[in-house]
Amino acid sequence: TENDLQRKYIATPIIVAGKFKNFEVNGFQVYYLEKENGLLEEIKKATEGMSKSFEFFSNYFGKKEKPKIIFAPINGPSVTNENIIIYNSAIFKNDAPRTTVSHEIAHIWFGGDGIIFKENSLTEALAEFLAFEYLKATYHSENFNKYFEDLIGYKQFITEGKKSFVGFANQNLEKNEKKLFSYNLLPLYLYSKQKNDANFINIIGEFYKYKKYDRTTSLDELNFFLQSKGYETLFTDKIPDFYFSECGKSKLCINSNSEKIYNLEIESTTMDNLNTKKNIKISNKSPEIIDINNIKKIT
């Protein structure tokens, strides 16, 4: 609109020309191209996720102005630009991940509308991690739980073989590597922090409120804040890894390559398909030894 074009933007907004229609839902002004009227039902379904995720994030980071939402066939990924979110309407035509809608809403707090890290991969990682947390807290069904496990499993699979965070720290990342860190490895790392400490997301919320008026920050500032609250800093050069090895007749060892002691949740499935979960503590000096008689699978 005319008013949008008079705003002072940090980054140039995408401009899409055409005949638009619009409607309002839960305080969101939603626009879509007239020629994409066939997507209207899908767009209306997506607005439910926008409203729910907006409220979810508001509980941790505080209230913000609701952004203007635009669906358009842009030549690239969806983008958040200072109170305007442009979703690529192709997300309804392709098999887009369920994190897409809530990821962009999270950028209202960590991204163009909120605080931005000097390490851009971390800004993206936080938005993706927050999308995980929203999905996990909101949807509860056997089908969804399976979807969420598959999503995490897929991200773990494509990050296999990464041995350190060095490339992230020095910012010397190729485009495809930056994507790997931003949307897969770093969100998984943050997700594991949250799994080990349910208060982690609240600490991130405190940091946001501490930095929101500065708008720009860095990993160093976040780590200093975590230390001041008695928390571990984020990232070491080495990524913790766990692996299985045979260690005697009907015995299996779960090993770690790290000197640190990690809490690890394992699930065993018996030949009778009974599942049991337990938490173990392991380091490179103390593997976990498991008797695998009558065990079909260990995860």
Side-chain angles (χ1 to χ4, degrees), residues 83-134:
N83 215 39
I84 296 175
I85 296 178
I86 303 184
Y87 286 104
N88 187 339
S89 51
I91 64 172
F92 301 123
K93 301 166 189 172
N94 304 321
D95 189 18
R98 289 201 201 185
T99 52
T100 301
V101 168
S102 47
H103 176 105
E104 292 306 322
I105 296 291
H107 275 319
I108 296 167
W109 288 271
F110 291 93
D113 283 12
I115 64 174
I116 300 172
F117 283 85
K118 180 185 78 176
E119 301 84 1
N120 183 55
S121 296
L122 185 52
T123 307
E124 290 298 336
L126 271 161
E128 186 73 354
F129 158 68
L130 292 173
F132 285 0
E133 290 307 302
Y134 160 70

Short mmCIF file of all heavy atoms in Angstrom, two decimals, residues 83-134:
data_model
loop_
_atom_site.label_atom_id
_atom_site.label_comp_id
_atom_site.label_asym_id
_atom_site.label_seq_id
_atom_site.Cartn_x
_atom_site.Cartn_y
_atom_site.Cartn_z
N ASN A 83 7.28 -6.06 9.42
CA ASN A 83 5.82 -6.03 9.51
C ASN A 83 5.10 -6.45 8.24
O ASN A 83 3.91 -6.20 8.07
CB ASN A 83 5.31 -4.66 9.97
CG ASN A 83 4.09 -4.83 10.85
OD1 ASN A 83 4.03 -5.74 11.66
ND2 ASN A 83 3.09 -3.99 10.66
N ILE A 84 5.83 -7.05 7.32
CA ILE A 84 5.21 -7.66 6.14
C ILE A 84 5.82 -9.05 5.96
O ILE A 84 7.04 -9.20 5.97
CB ILE A 84 5.48 -6.84 4.85
CG1 ILE A 84 4.84 -5.46 4.96
CG2 ILE A 84 4.94 -7.57 3.63
CD1 ILE A 84 5.16 -4.54 3.80
N ILE A 85 4.98 -10.06 5.85
CA ILE A 85 5.48 -11.41 5.52
C ILE A 85 4.96 -11.76 4.15
O ILE A 85 3.75 -11.69 3.89
CB ILE A 85 5.02 -12.47 6.55
CG1 ILE A 85 5.59 -12.18 7.94
CG2 ILE A 85 5.44 -13.87 6.09
CD1 ILE A 85 5.15 -13.16 9.01
N ILE A 86 5.86 -12.12 3.25
CA ILE A 86 5.45 -12.59 1.92
C ILE A 86 5.73 -14.09 1.86
O ILE A 86 6.88 -14.51 1.90
CB ILE A 86 6.19 -11.86 0.79
CG1 ILE A 86 5.95 -10.35 0.90
CG2 ILE A 86 5.69 -12.37 -0.56
CD1 ILE A 86 6.56 -9.53 -0.21
N TYR A 87 4.67 -14.87 1.82
CA TYR A 87 4.80 -16.32 1.66
C TYR A 87 4.77 -16.65 0.18
O TYR A 87 3.91 -16.15 -0.56
CB TYR A 87 3.64 -17.05 2.34
CG TYR A 87 3.71 -17.07 3.85
CD1 TYR A 87 2.90 -16.25 4.62
CD2 TYR A 87 4.59 -17.93 4.50
CE1 TYR A 87 2.96 -16.27 6.01
CE2 TYR A 87 4.66 -17.96 5.89
CZ TYR A 87 3.85 -17.14 6.63
OH TYR A 87 3.92 -17.16 8.01
N ASN A 88 5.71 -17.48 -0.23
CA ASN A 88 5.69 -17.96 -1.61
C ASN A 88 4.48 -18.88 -1.76
O ASN A 88 4.38 -19.91 -1.09
CB ASN A 88 6.98 -18.74 -1.90
CG ASN A 88 7.09 -19.10 -3.37
OD1 ASN A 88 6.09 -19.14 -4.08
ND2 ASN A 88 8.29 -19.39 -3.82
N SER A 89 3.53 -18.51 -2.61
CA SER A 89 2.30 -19.28 -2.74
C SER A 89 2.55 -20.69 -3.25
O SER A 89 1.68 -21.56 -3.18
CB SER A 89 1.29 -18.56 -3.64
OG SER A 89 1.89 -18.20 -4.86
N ALA A 90 3.78 -20.96 -3.72
CA ALA A 90 4.12 -22.33 -4.15
C ALA A 90 4.12 -23.31 -2.99
O ALA A 90 4.12 -24.52 -3.21
CB ALA A 90 5.48 -22.33 -4.84
N ILE A 91 4.12 -22.81 -1.74
CA ILE A 91 4.11 -23.74 -0.59
C ILE A 91 2.84 -24.59 -0.60
O ILE A 91 2.82 -25.67 -0.02
CB ILE A 91 4.24 -23.01 0.77
CG1 ILE A 91 3.04 -22.09 1.05
CG2 ILE A 91 5.56 -22.30 0.89
CD1 ILE A 91 3.03 -21.50 2.45
N PHE A 92 1.79 -24.12 -1.28
CA PHE A 92 0.56 -24.91 -1.34
C PHE A 92 0.58 -25.89 -2.52
O PHE A 92 -0.25 -26.79 -2.59
CB PHE A 92 -0.67 -24.00 -1.48
CG PHE A 92 -0.81 -23.03 -0.35
CD1 PHE A 92 -0.86 -21.67 -0.58
CD2 PHE A 92 -0.87 -23.48 0.97
CE1 PHE A 92 -0.99 -20.77 0.48
CE2 PHE A 92 -0.99 -22.59 2.02
CZ PHE A 92 -1.05 -21.23 1.78
N LYS A 93 1.52 -25.68 -3.42
CA LYS A 93 1.57 -26.54 -4.60
C LYS A 93 2.64 -27.62 -4.43
O LYS A 93 2.62 -28.64 -5.09
CB LYS A 93 1.88 -25.70 -5.85
CG LYS A 93 0.83 -24.61 -6.09
CD LYS A 93 1.32 -23.60 -7.11
CE LYS A 93 0.38 -22.40 -7.19
NZ LYS A 93 0.90 -21.31 -8.02
N ASN A 94 3.60 -27.35 -3.53
CA ASN A 94 4.68 -28.32 -3.29
C ASN A 94 4.50 -28.92 -1.90
O ASN A 94 3.69 -28.46 -1.12
CB ASN A 94 6.04 -27.62 -3.38
CG ASN A 94 6.22 -26.92 -4.71
OD1 ASN A 94 5.82 -27.44 -5.73
ND2 ASN A 94 6.80 -25.74 -4.69
N ASP A 95 5.30 -29.92 -1.62
CA ASP A 95 5.23 -30.57 -0.30
C ASP A 95 6.12 -29.79 0.68
O ASP A 95 7.18 -30.25 1.08
CB ASP A 95 5.69 -32.02 -0.44
CG ASP A 95 5.42 -32.82 0.83
OD1 ASP A 95 4.60 -32.35 1.64
OD2 ASP A 95 6.04 -33.88 1.01
N ALA A 96 5.67 -28.59 1.06
CA ALA A 96 6.49 -27.73 1.94
C ALA A 96 6.45 -28.26 3.37
O ALA A 96 5.45 -28.81 3.81
CB ALA A 96 5.95 -26.30 1.91
N PRO A 97 7.55 -28.10 4.13
CA PRO A 97 7.54 -28.54 5.53
C PRO A 97 6.55 -27.74 6.36
O PRO A 97 6.26 -26.58 6.06
CB PRO A 97 8.99 -28.28 5.99
CG PRO A 97 9.55 -27.29 5.04
CD PRO A 97 8.84 -27.51 3.74
N ARG A 98 6.04 -28.36 7.42
CA ARG A 98 5.03 -27.70 8.25
C ARG A 98 5.62 -26.55 9.05
O ARG A 98 4.88 -25.78 9.66
CB ARG A 98 4.40 -28.70 9.21
CG ARG A 98 3.50 -29.69 8.50
CD ARG A 98 2.53 -30.30 9.51
NE ARG A 98 2.01 -31.55 9.00
CZ ARG A 98 1.09 -32.25 9.63
NH1 ARG A 98 0.61 -31.85 10.77
NH2 ARG A 98 0.65 -33.38 9.11
N THR A 99 6.92 -26.45 9.07
CA THR A 99 7.54 -25.34 9.80
C THR A 99 7.47 -24.03 9.03
O THR A 99 7.74 -22.97 9.60
CB THR A 99 9.03 -25.65 10.10
OG1 THR A 99 9.68 -26.01 8.88
CG2 THR A 99 9.18 -26.76 11.11
N THR A 100 7.10 -24.06 7.75
CA THR A 100 7.18 -22.87 6.90
C THR A 100 6.41 -21.68 7.47
O THR A 100 6.94 -20.57 7.58
CB THR A 100 6.67 -23.17 5.47
OG1 THR A 100 7.46 -24.22 4.92
CG2 THR A 100 6.77 -21.95 4.57
N VAL A 101 5.14 -21.88 7.83
CA VAL A 101 4.30 -20.77 8.29
C VAL A 101 4.82 -20.21 9.61
O VAL A 101 5.04 -19.01 9.75
CB VAL A 101 2.82 -21.22 8.42
CG1 VAL A 101 2.01 -20.17 9.17
CG2 VAL A 101 2.23 -21.45 7.04
N SER A 102 5.04 -21.08 10.60
CA SER A 102 5.46 -20.61 11.92
C SER A 102 6.90 -20.09 11.92
O SER A 102 7.25 -19.21 12.71
CB SER A 102 5.29 -21.71 12.97
OG SER A 102 5.82 -22.94 12.54
N HIS A 103 7.75 -20.60 11.02
CA HIS A 103 9.12 -20.09 10.90
C HIS A 103 9.11 -18.60 10.57
O HIS A 103 9.84 -17.81 11.19
CB HIS A 103 9.86 -20.88 9.81
CG HIS A 103 11.25 -20.42 9.52
ND1 HIS A 103 12.38 -21.09 9.94
CD2 HIS A 103 11.71 -19.31 8.85
CE1 HIS A 103 13.46 -20.44 9.54
NE2 HIS A 103 13.08 -19.36 8.87
N GLU A 104 8.29 -18.21 9.59
CA GLU A 104 8.24 -16.79 9.21
C GLU A 104 7.62 -15.94 10.32
O GLU A 104 8.06 -14.80 10.55
CB GLU A 104 7.47 -16.60 7.90
CG GLU A 104 8.15 -17.18 6.68
CD GLU A 104 9.58 -16.68 6.47
OE1 GLU A 104 9.85 -15.49 6.73
OE2 GLU A 104 10.44 -17.49 6.07
N ILE A 105 6.63 -16.47 11.03
CA ILE A 105 6.04 -15.74 12.16
C ILE A 105 7.11 -15.52 13.24
O ILE A 105 7.19 -14.44 13.84
CB ILE A 105 4.82 -16.49 12.74
CG1 ILE A 105 3.68 -16.57 11.70
CG2 ILE A 105 4.34 -15.83 14.03
CD1 ILE A 105 2.99 -15.26 11.37
N ALA A 106 7.96 -16.52 13.47
CA ALA A 106 9.03 -16.39 14.48
C ALA A 106 10.00 -15.27 14.12
O ALA A 106 10.62 -14.66 15.01
CB ALA A 106 9.78 -17.72 14.62
N HIS A 107 10.14 -14.97 12.81
CA HIS A 107 11.04 -13.89 12.39
C HIS A 107 10.56 -12.50 12.85
O HIS A 107 11.31 -11.53 12.78
CB HIS A 107 11.20 -13.89 10.87
CG HIS A 107 12.26 -14.82 10.37
ND1 HIS A 107 13.48 -14.97 11.00
CD2 HIS A 107 12.30 -15.64 9.29
CE1 HIS A 107 14.21 -15.84 10.33
NE2 HIS A 107 13.52 -16.28 9.30
N ILE A 108 9.32 -12.41 13.31
CA ILE A 108 8.85 -11.14 13.86
C ILE A 108 9.66 -10.79 15.11
O ILE A 108 9.89 -9.63 15.42
CB ILE A 108 7.34 -11.23 14.19
CG1 ILE A 108 6.54 -11.45 12.90
CG2 ILE A 108 6.85 -9.99 14.92
CD1 ILE A 108 5.10 -11.88 13.14
N TRP A 109 10.15 -11.83 15.79
CA TRP A 109 10.97 -11.61 16.99
C TRP A 109 12.46 -11.80 16.71
O TRP A 109 13.28 -11.03 17.19
CB TRP A 109 10.52 -12.56 18.12
CG TRP A 109 9.20 -12.18 18.69
CD1 TRP A 109 8.97 -11.33 19.74
CD2 TRP A 109 7.91 -12.60 18.24
NE1 TRP A 109 7.62 -11.20 19.97
CE2 TRP A 109 6.94 -11.97 19.06
CE3 TRP A 109 7.46 -13.46 17.23
CZ2 TRP A 109 5.57 -12.18 18.91
CZ3 TRP A 109 6.09 -13.66 17.07
CH2 TRP A 109 5.17 -13.02 17.89
N PHE A 110 12.79 -12.80 15.90
CA PHE A 110 14.19 -13.05 15.53
C PHE A 110 14.31 -12.95 14.01
O PHE A 110 14.08 -13.92 13.30
CB PHE A 110 14.66 -14.43 16.02
CG PHE A 110 14.77 -14.51 17.52
CD1 PHE A 110 13.71 -14.97 18.28
CD2 PHE A 110 15.92 -14.09 18.17
CE1 PHE A 110 13.80 -15.04 19.67
CE2 PHE A 110 16.02 -14.15 19.55
CZ PHE A 110 14.95 -14.62 20.30
N GLY A 111 14.61 -11.75 13.53
CA GLY A 111 14.68 -11.51 12.09
C GLY A 111 14.42 -10.06 11.79
O GLY A 111 14.65 -9.19 12.65
N GLY A 112 13.90 -9.78 10.61
CA GLY A 112 13.73 -8.40 10.15
C GLY A 112 12.89 -7.52 11.05
O GLY A 112 13.06 -6.31 11.08
N ASP A 113 11.96 -8.13 11.81
CA ASP A 113 11.10 -7.33 12.68
C ASP A 113 11.58 -7.29 14.13
O ASP A 113 11.00 -6.58 14.95
CB ASP A 113 9.67 -7.90 12.68
CG ASP A 113 8.92 -7.53 11.41
OD1 ASP A 113 9.57 -7.04 10.49
OD2 ASP A 113 7.71 -7.72 11.37
N GLY A 114 12.58 -8.09 14.44
CA GLY A 114 13.01 -8.20 15.84
C GLY A 114 14.50 -7.97 15.98
O GLY A 114 15.02 -6.96 15.54
N ILE A 115 15.19 -8.95 16.60
CA ILE A 115 16.65 -8.82 16.72
C ILE A 115 17.32 -9.74 15.69
O ILE A 115 16.79 -10.79 15.34
CB ILE A 115 17.15 -9.11 18.16
CG1 ILE A 115 16.90 -10.55 18.57
CG2 ILE A 115 16.54 -8.15 19.15
CD1 ILE A 115 17.52 -10.90 19.92
N ILE A 116 18.44 -9.27 15.20
CA ILE A 116 19.17 -10.00 14.15
C ILE A 116 20.57 -10.28 14.66
O ILE A 116 21.24 -9.38 15.18
CB ILE A 116 19.25 -9.17 12.85
CG1 ILE A 116 17.84 -8.87 12.34
CG2 ILE A 116 20.05 -9.89 11.78
CD1 ILE A 116 17.80 -7.89 11.18
N PHE A 117 21.03 -11.52 14.51
CA PHE A 117 22.40 -11.88 14.89
C PHE A 117 23.36 -11.55 13.77
O PHE A 117 23.03 -11.67 12.59
CB PHE A 117 22.48 -13.38 15.21
CG PHE A 117 21.91 -13.74 16.55
CD1 PHE A 117 20.55 -13.96 16.71
CD2 PHE A 117 22.73 -13.83 17.67
CE1 PHE A 117 20.01 -14.27 17.94
CE2 PHE A 117 22.20 -14.14 18.91
CZ PHE A 117 20.85 -14.36 19.05
N LYS A 118 24.55 -11.15 14.17
CA LYS A 118 25.62 -10.93 13.18
C LYS A 118 25.83 -12.22 12.39
O LYS A 118 26.09 -12.20 11.20
CB LYS A 118 26.90 -10.53 13.93
CG LYS A 118 28.10 -10.27 13.03
CD LYS A 118 29.36 -10.02 13.85
CE LYS A 118 29.93 -11.32 14.38
NZ LYS A 118 31.20 -11.15 15.10
N GLU A 119 25.71 -13.34 13.09
CA GLU A 119 25.79 -14.66 12.45
C GLU A 119 24.40 -14.99 11.92
O GLU A 119 23.55 -15.52 12.65
CB GLU A 119 26.25 -15.72 13.45
CG GLU A 119 27.62 -15.47 14.08
CD GLU A 119 27.56 -14.52 15.30
OE1 GLU A 119 26.46 -14.07 15.67
OE2 GLU A 119 28.62 -14.25 15.87
N ASN A 120 24.15 -14.67 10.64
CA ASN A 120 22.80 -14.82 10.09
C ASN A 120 22.25 -16.23 10.22
O ASN A 120 21.05 -16.43 10.41
CB ASN A 120 22.80 -14.39 8.61
CG ASN A 120 21.40 -14.47 8.03
OD1 ASN A 120 20.46 -13.88 8.56
ND2 ASN A 120 21.24 -15.23 6.96
N SER A 121 23.15 -17.23 10.15
CA SER A 121 22.70 -18.62 10.28
C SER A 121 22.02 -18.86 11.62
O SER A 121 21.11 -19.68 11.74
CB SER A 121 23.89 -19.58 10.15
OG SER A 121 24.44 -19.49 8.87
N LEU A 122 22.45 -18.14 12.65
CA LEU A 122 21.86 -18.29 13.99
C LEU A 122 20.47 -17.66 14.03
O LEU A 122 19.56 -18.19 14.69
CB LEU A 122 22.78 -17.68 15.05
CG LEU A 122 22.37 -17.88 16.51
CD1 LEU A 122 22.10 -19.34 16.83
CD2 LEU A 122 23.45 -17.33 17.44
N THR A 123 20.27 -16.54 13.34
CA THR A 123 18.94 -15.94 13.26
C THR A 123 17.95 -16.94 12.65
O THR A 123 16.85 -17.15 13.16
CB THR A 123 18.96 -14.65 12.41
OG1 THR A 123 19.96 -13.77 12.91
CG2 THR A 123 17.62 -13.94 12.44
N GLU A 124 18.37 -17.56 11.54
CA GLU A 124 17.50 -18.54 10.88
C GLU A 124 17.29 -19.77 11.75
O GLU A 124 16.19 -20.32 11.83
CB GLU A 124 18.11 -18.97 9.53
CG GLU A 124 18.10 -17.89 8.47
CD GLU A 124 16.69 -17.44 8.09
OE1 GLU A 124 15.73 -18.22 8.26
OE2 GLU A 124 16.54 -16.31 7.62
N ALA A 125 18.36 -20.20 12.41
CA ALA A 125 18.28 -21.40 13.26
C ALA A 125 17.29 -21.20 14.41
O ALA A 125 16.52 -22.11 14.74
CB ALA A 125 19.66 -21.75 13.82
N LEU A 126 17.30 -20.01 15.00
CA LEU A 126 16.38 -19.74 16.10
C LEU A 126 14.93 -19.76 15.62
O LEU A 126 14.04 -20.30 16.28
CB LEU A 126 16.70 -18.40 16.75
CG LEU A 126 17.73 -18.49 17.89
CD1 LEU A 126 18.34 -17.13 18.17
CD2 LEU A 126 17.10 -19.05 19.16
N ALA A 127 14.68 -19.18 14.43
CA ALA A 127 13.32 -19.20 13.87
C ALA A 127 12.86 -20.63 13.61
O ALA A 127 11.71 -21.00 13.90
CB ALA A 127 13.27 -18.37 12.59
N GLU A 128 13.76 -21.47 13.10
CA GLU A 128 13.40 -22.86 12.81
C GLU A 128 13.20 -23.64 14.11
O GLU A 128 12.25 -24.44 14.24
CB GLU A 128 14.50 -23.51 11.95
CG GLU A 128 14.19 -24.91 11.46
CD GLU A 128 13.15 -24.97 10.35
OE1 GLU A 128 12.54 -23.95 9.99
OE2 GLU A 128 12.93 -26.09 9.85
N PHE A 129 14.06 -23.43 15.09
CA PHE A 129 13.93 -24.07 16.40
C PHE A 129 12.59 -23.68 17.05
O PHE A 129 11.88 -24.52 17.59
CB PHE A 129 15.11 -23.66 17.30
CG PHE A 129 14.84 -23.80 18.77
CD1 PHE A 129 14.69 -25.05 19.36
CD2 PHE A 129 14.74 -22.68 19.58
CE1 PHE A 129 14.43 -25.18 20.72
CE2 PHE A 129 14.49 -22.79 20.95
CZ PHE A 129 14.33 -24.06 21.51
N LEU A 130 12.24 -22.40 16.98
CA LEU A 130 10.98 -21.95 17.56
C LEU A 130 9.78 -22.56 16.83
O LEU A 130 8.76 -22.88 17.45
CB LEU A 130 10.90 -20.42 17.53
CG LEU A 130 11.89 -19.71 18.46
CD1 LEU A 130 11.85 -18.20 18.24
CD2 LEU A 130 11.61 -20.04 19.93
N ALA A 131 9.92 -22.75 15.52
CA ALA A 131 8.86 -23.43 14.76
C ALA A 131 8.70 -24.87 15.24
O ALA A 131 7.57 -25.37 15.37
CB ALA A 131 9.16 -23.39 13.26
N PHE A 132 9.83 -25.55 15.53
CA PHE A 132 9.78 -26.90 16.13
C PHE A 132 8.94 -26.87 17.41
O PHE A 132 8.06 -27.70 17.62
CB PHE A 132 11.17 -27.38 16.57
CG PHE A 132 12.10 -27.82 15.49
CD1 PHE A 132 11.75 -27.80 14.15
CD2 PHE A 132 13.37 -28.25 15.82
CE1 PHE A 132 12.64 -28.20 13.18
CE2 PHE A 132 14.26 -28.65 14.85
CZ PHE A 132 13.91 -28.63 13.54
N GLU A 133 9.30 -25.92 18.29
CA GLU A 133 8.67 -25.87 19.62
C GLU A 133 7.17 -25.58 19.52
O GLU A 133 6.37 -26.14 20.26
CB GLU A 133 9.36 -24.82 20.50
CG GLU A 133 10.77 -25.20 20.92
CD GLU A 133 10.82 -26.56 21.59
OE1 GLU A 133 10.13 -26.76 22.60
OE2 GLU A 133 11.55 -27.44 21.08
N TYR A 134 6.81 -24.71 18.57
CA TYR A 134 5.39 -24.42 18.36
C TYR A 134 4.65 -25.68 17.91
O TYR A 134 3.60 -26.02 18.45
CB TYR A 134 5.23 -23.30 17.33
CG TYR A 134 3.86 -23.28 16.72
CD1 TYR A 134 2.74 -22.90 17.47
CD2 TYR A 134 3.66 -23.69 15.40
CE1 TYR A 134 1.47 -22.92 16.92
CE2 TYR A 134 2.39 -23.72 14.85
CZ TYR A 134 1.30 -23.34 15.61
OH TYR A 134 0.04 -23.37 15.07
#
